[in-house]
Each structure stands twice: as C-alpha cells, then as structure tokens.
C-alpha cells in the first residue's frame, strides 16, 4: 500500500515516515509541506533521521493524493477540510488525526466519507481506544448515580482545549448514558456555579511542560470513586495506530470509520 503524508516535516510527519518505512505491507508514496517551507525538495528519509528513501517533500497535495493509496493527516482543521475534499475526488483512503474541527469542517469530512473510506479518531493509540470502549461500558453500567469528570493534561504548545481525546472520552461516556454530549457537558467552572446538575459531564484542562498526553475519566459516587487513566510516554504510538488504520481501510467501502472499528472494540 502506498501511503502519503501531509505535513511530512513536522514531528508527527517524521514519526509517520519512520513508521511507514519500518512496516511491512506499505511504502512511502510521498509527503507535502507548505509552499516555501525549508523541507521542500529534501528526502523524507533524511528529514526523519533515517536512510534516504528516494522520495522528496513537495508542496502539491493534489499530486500527493493522486499517487497515494492512502494519505495520513495530522495537520490543522482548515487543511484537513481541504484534504478531505481531495480524498473524495481521488477516492483515496484518508486517515485523520487532526483535532479541533468545527461543525462545518466535521461535516465536510463526513461528506467526503460518502466517496471514500476515512478513518478519523481524536487519538490513534491502541490504549486510548480501549479506554473509550471501557468508558462507554462503565458509564452505561453506573448511570447517573455517579458524576463523570474528565481531566486532561498536555504540553504547553497545544492549541485546542479540551483535547480531542478528552472530548472523545466525553462522547463515549455520553453514549453509554444514551445522551448527546453537547446537552450535558460543562467545559469550564468558574465563580459561584451552584450545585452540580445530575447527569453533567465535566472537563478540566491542564497545560504545561512537555507532557505528551494524560487523560483520566473519574466516576465519582457516594462513598467510592472509579478512575480510568491513560498516559502516553511517546508519540510513536499515534504513528503506529495511524499506519495500522491506513492498512485496515485499504479494502473498505466508503464510510466514516474510527479506530474502534480498526481494532474491533
């Protein structure tokens, strides 16, 4: 399978280059960077700190999609909207790890998925996706007798809050209770908030240092508390999951899939 990378010179892009090069069953189709960027024309293997791969960074995403069986996207919401349209036009598999999409951008991804297979997840790691399944099950079992709060921490450079993974965990909890997250979430508590409403799902966000990603879902009842936690110690877990998703999707019909589909959980 020929896999392309948009944003190939960034931290995630370099990890994806290394992961594709080391994974049986796939080859690197190419990679894009912004026009005028210093990585243009350079070998992607050298950019990623490995042996040359004979593939240079370009600034033409149309060409990348045309020459790829799948493209992996960990960029920005605006760029992901464009890439979804290109995937639909070329019927190329798209793996989306970008977070922070607004409703219009998410709708564009869903529309593109009517023409090609798209795997989208706020977090590509195996552990987090198992956690999503557990959170949904626990929320369903415990019901409204337990209050749910989601605590997340990331490095100081992260630009969106709560994190996409935290929101994904919130949606899993809401699904377990049979409600829409938007109807019950509380993203910020400040000042005199009054008593907590029944069924509310709260979020707390921390930013600092070089933390890759810590997430805890707390179920607090009278006299007891359950905490489910995932801590990432390396970003390569996201690259591994994204490449696995691309390989899984190569023979799938058009549709919007998640990592839970990929992992069968």
């Amino acid at each position: 399978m020929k896999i392309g990378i948009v944003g190939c010179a960034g931290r995630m892009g370099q990890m994806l280059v290394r992961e594709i090069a080391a994974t049986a069953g796939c080859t690197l189709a190419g990679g894009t960077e912004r026009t005028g960027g210093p990585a243009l024309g350079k070998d992607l293997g050298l950019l990623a700190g490995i042996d040359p791969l004979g593939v240079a960074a370009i600034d033409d995403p149309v060409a990348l999609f045309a020459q790829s069986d799948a493209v992996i996207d960990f960029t920005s919401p605006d760029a992901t909207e464009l890439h979804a349209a290109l995937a639909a036009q070329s019927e190329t598999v798209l793996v989306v790890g970008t977070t922070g999409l607004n409703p219009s951008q998410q709708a564009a991804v869903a529309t593109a998925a009517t023409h090609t297979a798209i795997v989208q997840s706020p977090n590509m790691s195996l552990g987090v996706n198992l956690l999503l399944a557990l959170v949904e099950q626990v929320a369903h079992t415990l019901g409204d007798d337990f209050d749910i709060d989601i605590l997340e921490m990331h490095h100081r450079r992260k630009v969106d809050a709560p994190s996409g993974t935290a929101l994904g965990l919130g949606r899993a909890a809401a699904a377990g209770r049979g409600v829409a997250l938007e109807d019950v979430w509380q993203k910020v508590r400040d000042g005199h908030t009054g008593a907590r409403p029944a069924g509310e799902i709260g979020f707390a966000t921390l930013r600092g240092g070089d933390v890759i990603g810590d997430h805890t879902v707390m179920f607090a009842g009278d006299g007891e508390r359950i905490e489910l936690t995932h801590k990432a110690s390396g970003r390569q877990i996201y690259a591994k999951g994204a490449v696995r998703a691309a390989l899984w999707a190569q023979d799938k019909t058009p549709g919007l899939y998640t990592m839970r589909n990929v992992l069968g959980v």
Side-chain angles (χ1 to χ4, degrees), residues 1 3 5 13-29 43-46 48-53 72 236 239 243:
M1 188 181 197
I3 302 177
I5 305 167
Q14 293 177 39
M15 290 181 187
L16 287 165
V17 169
R18 293 193 290 269
E19 189 64 28
I20 292 169
T23 301
C26 62
T27 59
L28 184 62
D43 187 281
L44 297 188
L46 294 178
I50 58 177
D51 291 337
L53 296 173
I72 300 176
Q236 197 66 28
V243 173

Side-chain angles (χ1 to χ4, degrees), residues 161-172:
S163 70
T165 300
L167 292 172
L169 291 165
R171 295 191 192 285

Side-chain angles (χ1 to χ4, degrees), residues 87-136:
Q89 292 169 11
S90 59
E91 297 184 350
T92 303
V93 169
L94 181 64
V95 177
V96 177
T98 307
T99 61
L101 277 68
N102 64 35
S104 175
Q105 292 161 339
Q106 185 57 50
V109 172
T111 298
T114 63
H115 300 281
T116 191
I118 296 179
V119 180
Q120 182 183 24
S121 178
N123 192 303
M124 293 287 173
S125 85
L126 171 62
V128 163
N129 284 281
L130 290 173
L131 179 60
L132 287 166
L134 289 170
V135 166
E136 183 173 340

